[in-house]
Amino acid sequence: MSEARGSEALKLIYDYDYLLQRLYSRLPARTAKASRFELPKLMVERIGTKTMIRNFKQLSSVMRREPRLVMRYLLKELGTSGNYDEENGILVINAKVSSTTLGNLIQRFVKTYVICPTCGAPDTKLERRGKAWILICEACGAEQPVPPL
Ligand SMILES: [Zn+2]
């Protein structure tokens, strides 16, 4: 009888180890996924009444989004005008904006238009279907309607 109880205890320990192992085996993948997606620090420069993001092209390419699309979002949120200097990869905003404000807006853009809400992966693309904008995840296949840009 005590033998039976002993093997029962062993089984429990095994199950516990197994669960722990499974848990840990999943953790590194998530961490790797998150660290793979690192936005570059914004290089913001203000000249007079204008604000420039010097590494705008690089920023957009890390997010895998068209710079003009990201620009449209930022200008709409800021309620101002601006233009994208394609040759130099610089965004020029016709207003004084702090780098904190710009950083927050980019974070919001990433949350809404880049990160998959289902699995958290940044490997997504935006697709236009008529008037609808869909965020499609290449990692898990989820499709999520997002506000039009
Ligand atoms: Zn996903």
Side-chain angles (χ1 to χ4, degrees):
M1 199 159 167
S2 66
E3 243 173 62
R5 216 181 288 148
S7 73
E8 191 64 27
L10 264 180
K11 189 169 171 289
L12 278 174
I13 287 167
Y14 169 76
D15 284 348
Y16 181 68
D17 280 348
Y18 174 70
L19 286 174
L20 262 188
Q21 241 174 43
R22 259 181 45 153
L23 181 70
Y24 283 126
S25 71
R26 286 174 179 208
L27 284 178
R30 292 224 159 183
T31 315
K33 209 183 266 178
S35 65
R36 192 154 53 85
F37 187 67
E38 236 172 67
L39 288 178
K41 195 172 159 27
L42 293 183
M43 289 167 64
V44 179
E45 192 180 330
R46 260 184 296 178
I47 294 178
T49 55
K50 291 180 195 289
T51 308
M52 297 189 235
I53 302 180
R54 295 210 156 271
N55 57 343
F56 192 67
K57 189 181 184 178
Q58 186 206 359
L59 176 75
S60 301
S61 81
V62 170
M63 299 192 292
R64 292 170 62 200
R65 292 295 175 266
E66 271 294 308
R68 289 179 193 285
L69 212 63
V70 185
M71 172 177 78
R72 216 188 308 173
Y73 173 82
L74 288 179
L75 295 180
K76 201 169 85 177
E77 292 295 310
L78 292 165
T80 185
S81 60
N83 64 281
Y84 174 54
D85 173 356
E86 194 158 12
E87 201 177 314
N88 299 302
I90 296 173
L91 176 69
V92 182
I93 303 166
N94 296 327
K96 284 190 200 176
V97 192
S98 75
S99 46
T100 310
T101 302
L102 288 172
N104 288 340
L105 283 175
I106 293 292
Q107 289 297 335
R108 262 164 57 192
F109 179 88
V110 166
K111 220 176 142 191
T112 312
Y113 295 103
V114 180
I115 300 291
C116 168
T118 304
C119 75
D123 312 298
T124 60
K125 56 181 182 180
L126 273 179
E127 207 175 278
R128 266 183 101 157
R129 290 181 194 159
K131 283 183 179 173
W133 289 69
I134 316 283
L135 183 70
I136 301 166
C137 179
E138 288 168 354
C140 78
E143 296 189 2
Q144 170 83 11
V146 292
L149 278 169

